[in-house]
Amino acid sequence: MTIRFCSLSSGSDGNCQYIETKNTKLIIDAGLSGKRIEALFKEVDLNIRDLDGILITHEHIDHIKGVGILSRRYDIPVYANEKTWITMEPIIKEVKSHNIKVIKNNKNIEVKDVLIHPFNISHDAVDPVGYILFNEMKKLSFITDTGLINEGIKEKIKNSHIFFLESNHDIRMLKEGSYPWPLKQRILSPLGHLSNDDATEVLADVLKGENEIVLLAHLSEDNNTPQIAYNTVRNGLLREGFDVDNDIRLLMTNRHGNSGIYTLD
Ligand SMILES: [Zn+2]
Ligand SMILES: [Zn+2]
């Protein structure tokens, strides 16, 4: 059984992650225009009409911009918790009632052959969540837009085969950069975003070195570069004793395009 995964786009310009199992096709967030997401699907030869659902992490515009248009155009169910629904509804506009799926944090739901576990994360949105997806023996964890990852979350995501994890900024670039101080404080706060160092620390605690796929996600355009994020995490994991080049598939996502399709057998 193969799972296919593609990061169609990741970063503050818009987020959309695609997951496909034998029977189910989902995206997590749809934070670009409907047109742009349709174009991204075409680029990797995927059919947007087949989607079984859109899972929403939180109501920031880089995660919900295209949700309404895609749901209306292709009759796609949208899954979000109640507070997120209330906050995003005026932004995404009316969605058909049969496509409004209200979920509860920490309560598993099933969409065809995928078991979905939404869990609380720490971000300045009304009720943000990360997702763990289970299909047969495979486990995929998705966490971006969180200021911290506590021990409870680390326990939850252990034993995943894919870790899609925020590596938002280099702390020094952020501190020395041009952002106004309140914005710097927001990003660095427990309700902000994970730094490259934070991502390294989390991965060092949860990885087993059994060829897990790690995708570094939601990189800042101004306070990070793909090279710096990659090197920080790689060097940190090497220091922790991981044979990064052989035991882990450390990969980058892209702010302005797809990651290509990864398969998990
Ligand atoms: Zn975001
Ligand atoms: Zn956000």
Side-chain angles (χ1 to χ4, degrees), residues 144-162:
T144 66
D145 299 71
T146 189
L148 55 85
I149 291 188
N150 60 27
E151 293 303 316
I153 297 176
K154 283 184 200 167
E155 282 305 314
K156 274 182 196 287
I157 65 175
K158 275 182 182 168
N159 301 313
S160 294
H161 299 87
I162 292 182

Side-chain angles (χ1 to χ4, degrees), residues 178-246:
S178 62
Y179 281 14
W181 176 236
L183 181 54
K184 289 182 185 179
Q185 272 181 313
R186 183 216 151 218
I187 294 169
L188 289 165
S189 82
L191 295 176
H193 291 276
L194 288 187
S195 69
N196 298 334
D197 292 335
D198 295 331
T200 308
E201 196 192 304
V202 171
L203 289 167
D205 282 350
V206 300
L207 286 174
K208 295 194 290 188
E210 295 181 355
N211 213 23
E212 299 101 319
I213 294 177
V214 175
L215 288 127
L216 301 182
H218 213 294
L219 268 66
S220 166
E221 179 121 75
D222 303 307
N223 304 309
N224 212 353
T225 69
Q227 203 59 51
I228 287 173
Y230 182 87
N231 288 339
T232 303
V233 173
R234 182 175 181 277
N235 294 335
L237 291 176
L238 285 171
R239 275 198 300 276
E240 293 288 331
F242 288 92
D243 185 354
V244 181
D245 300 322
N246 292 307

Side-chain angles (χ1 to χ4, degrees), residues 19-31:
I19 305 103
E20 178 186 326
T21 65
K22 187 175 171 212
N23 297 325
T24 315
K25 296 178 173 113
L26 298 167
I27 52 174
I28 298 180
D29 293 328

Side-chain angles (χ1 to χ4, degrees), residues 58 60 62-63 123-125 145 186 193 218:
H58 64 296
H60 288 163
D62 57 320
H63 297 260
H123 190 54
D124 56 354
D145 299 71
R186 183 216 151 218
H193 291 276
H218 213 294

Side-chain angles (χ1 to χ4, degrees), residues 124-186:
D124 56 354
V126 287
D127 199 5
V129 297
Y131 286 103
I132 303 173
L133 273 50
F134 298 89
N135 170 255
E136 298 193 351
M137 300 302 285
K138 296 289 189 273
K139 176 174 177 179
L140 293 72
S141 292
F142 295 85
I143 311 179
T144 66
D145 299 71
T146 189
L148 55 85
I149 291 188
N150 60 27
E151 293 303 316
I153 297 176
K154 283 184 200 167
E155 282 305 314
K156 274 182 196 287
I157 65 175
K158 275 182 182 168
N159 301 313
S160 294
H161 299 87
I162 292 182
F163 292 91
F164 185 85
L165 180 67
E166 171 160 64
S167 192
N168 177 262
H169 55 276
D170 175 80
I171 294 172
R172 211 184 75 189
M173 279 178 83
L174 175 67
K175 284 187 174 163
E176 293 175 0
S178 62
Y179 281 14
W181 176 236
L183 181 54
K184 289 182 185 179
Q185 272 181 313
R186 183 216 151 218

